[in-house]
Amino acid sequence: MLSSKPYLLRGLYEWILDSNCTPHMVVDALLPGVEVPQEHIKNCQNVLNIAPGAIAALAIDKDSVAFSARFSGMPFKIYVPMYAVIGIY
């Protein structure tokens, strides 16, 4: 059976947007394969604003979440394996 995590993540993302709120994803930034800016890690986690106005090219698939964002004005490609996603709010 497939993992429900990517489906729930996508559904909660859409629900948060439909509710006119800003979605944030919490990531375990120290797990292997996670690509996030190291300077923004706090308590082994990174909280990422994933609102459409803050990111580009969001892709949520069964294995990962990927998108482009700017941090301190510099472009950065974010890659988070699904096992490193802690939650969305």
Side-chain angles (χ1 to χ4, degrees):
M1 182 174 238
L2 294 173
S3 170
S4 62
K5 192 171 188 175
Y7 299 96
L8 293 171
L9 185 68
R10 239 182 267 117
L12 286 170
Y13 177 77
E14 292 295 329
W15 174 72
I16 292 167
L17 289 177
D18 289 348
S19 299
N20 294 316
C21 294
T22 303
H24 290 81
M25 183 174 64
V26 183
V27 174
D28 185 334
L30 301 182
L31 288 176
V34 175
E35 296 175 20
V36 296
Q38 298 297 304
E39 62 272 13
H40 297 284
I41 296 172
K42 290 186 176 75
N43 298 324
C44 303
Q45 297 180 352
N46 200 318
V47 178
L48 302 164
N49 175 350
I50 56 173
I55 64 170
L58 176 66
I60 302 173
D61 63 31
K62 67 181 180 81
D63 298 318
S64 64
V65 178
F67 56 90
S68 297
R70 291 190 167 274
F71 293 87
S72 302
M74 299 298 296
F76 198 95
K77 290 193 186 272
I78 302 292
Y79 181 82
V80 181
M82 198 56 67
Y83 58 79
V85 175
I86 296 172
I88 184 171
Y89 64 91

